[in-house]
Amino acid sequence: MGSQDLKDFKITGVVAAPFTPFDSDGELALEKIDPYIEHLLANGVKNVYICGTTGEGPSLTIDERKKVAEKWVKAADGRFKAIIVQVGSGNLKEVEELARHSEAIGADAISTIPTIFFKPANPKVIAEFLQKVSNAAPTIPLYYYHNPNMTGVNFSLESILNLCTNIKTLRGSKFTSENLYDLSRCILLSSDKYNLLYAVDEQILPSLTLGVKGGVGSTYNYLGKVVNRLLKAFDDGNIELARKEQVYIFIS
């Protein structure tokens, strides 16, 4: 992907966060991904975020993660607008290895959490970490996975993005936090540069009012049509219908 293509890369709409299938012995059941893809496409899901929290990426071995990513890319055969591979791990070397692998197999983007056992001391450390991940896979868009509740890394996303302006492949963030103030600050200050994907399913409608154009969710695995209806209702100015669809999401 060229520098201009990287600059223009943007994900919008529904992004499902798929589960990783296993058999009864705890081994990968990769053959289940084929019908999974057909199900998502039939329900209007055009993007997937694999090996994230829902996909249990941090609990898989490096080899398992590579196999999962390879299967999704090969089986999808270009039918998704974007396949984003979450490459975050407990140490930088593994993150770099998974980033290079995702780039090599033709994934559309990568995403990473920060290291979470020895946590970064400040936002500058996260920015330096993201620069190294970017260097490992310099031709593929990178998204920072901001999930303070799960990672325990509690710096505002705004404070992180402000230090990342020179990371050429960084295209945005998967924002998994109920902190709409931080989200709104990021959109206000950097929406022209960064693509922010909101990832609290139960609050997708409020995020749209702040300017979000796409969301990542685990419930979108089975509620793709509902979320698409919500997005359309919001775009059409039918807020009452959009509210009803939002309620359906958080009671499902």
Side-chain angles (χ1 to χ4, degrees):
M1 186 176 290
S3 58
Q4 186 60 42
D5 292 332
L6 275 170
K7 183 179 179 181
D8 294 337
F9 185 86
K10 188 173 184 178
I11 298 169
T12 59
V14 179
V15 185
F19 302 93
T20 297
F22 297 91
D23 63 22
S24 58
D25 294 320
E27 300 297 323
L28 290 176
L30 297 175
E31 72 281 357
K32 296 182 180 179
I33 292 176
D34 296 277
Y36 202 156
I37 289 172
E38 301 306 322
H39 162 77
L40 292 173
L41 291 169
N43 281 273
V45 174
K46 301 295 178 61
N47 311 279
V48 289
Y49 184 98
I50 64 172
C51 290
T53 304
T54 304
E56 301 178 76
S59 296
L60 304 181
T61 68
I62 295 298
D63 184 59
E64 286 174 329
R65 295 175 72 169
K66 288 181 178 180
K67 288 178 178 177
V68 170
E70 289 166 5
K71 178 63 176 180
W72 275 95
V73 171
K74 182 177 180 181
D77 193 25
R79 290 178 291 167
F80 288 112
K81 289 182 179 178
I83 295 178
I84 310 129
V85 182
Q86 200 287 120
V87 299
S89 181
N91 66 80
L92 175 61
K93 294 298 183 183
E94 289 184 351
V95 179
E96 291 173 325
E97 180 180 345
L98 288 168
R100 285 190 292 267
H101 176 262
S102 296
E103 182 182 49
I105 65 173
D108 298 290
I110 55 174
S111 178
T112 184
I113 53 173
T115 53
I116 59 175
F117 187 79
F118 294 106
K119 294 178 174 57
N122 51 58
K124 183 174 181 288
V125 175
I126 299 176
E128 292 170 349
F129 168 80
L130 291 172
Q131 181 64 73
K132 291 177 180 178
V133 178
S134 175
N135 292 344
T139 69
I140 189 171
L142 169 64
Y143 285 74
Y144 175 64
Y145 185 4
H146 181 65
N147 191 342
N149 289 338
M150 289 292 289
T151 64
V153 178
N154 289 305
F155 307 111
S156 70
L157 180 61
E158 179 190 358
S159 68
I160 298 166
L161 293 181
N162 282 340
L163 298 173
C164 293
T165 54
N166 293 323
I167 304 177
K168 294 181 179 179
T169 67
L170 186 68
R171 288 300 302 120
S173 174
K174 177 186 175 187
F175 189 100
T176 308
S177 168
E178 296 84 1
N179 188 342
L180 295 181
Y181 175 70
D182 187 22
L183 176 66
S184 64
R185 291 279 298 175
C186 292
I187 292 172
L188 177 65
L189 298 175
S190 59
S191 63
D192 58 331
K193 180 175 176 62
Y194 295 120
N195 177 204
L196 301 178
L197 300 169
Y198 194 62
V200 180
D201 310 19
E202 298 83 359
Q203 293 185 178
I204 185 63
L205 179 55
S207 78
L208 298 179
T209 68
L210 298 175
V212 165
K213 302 297 182 183
V216 184
S218 55
T219 64
Y220 305 168
N221 283 294
Y222 51 89
L223 294 176
K225 291 181 179 179
V226 174
V227 187
N228 274 307
R229 290 199 303 266
L230 186 157
L231 295 176
K232 185 177 187 305
F234 180 81
D235 288 342
D236 291 344
N238 190 341
I239 302 303
E240 188 59 36
L241 176 57
R243 287 192 190 118
K244 290 179 180 179
E245 301 294 6
Q246 178 68 92
V247 170
Y248 190 87
I249 290 170
F250 65 66
I251 65 173
S252 296

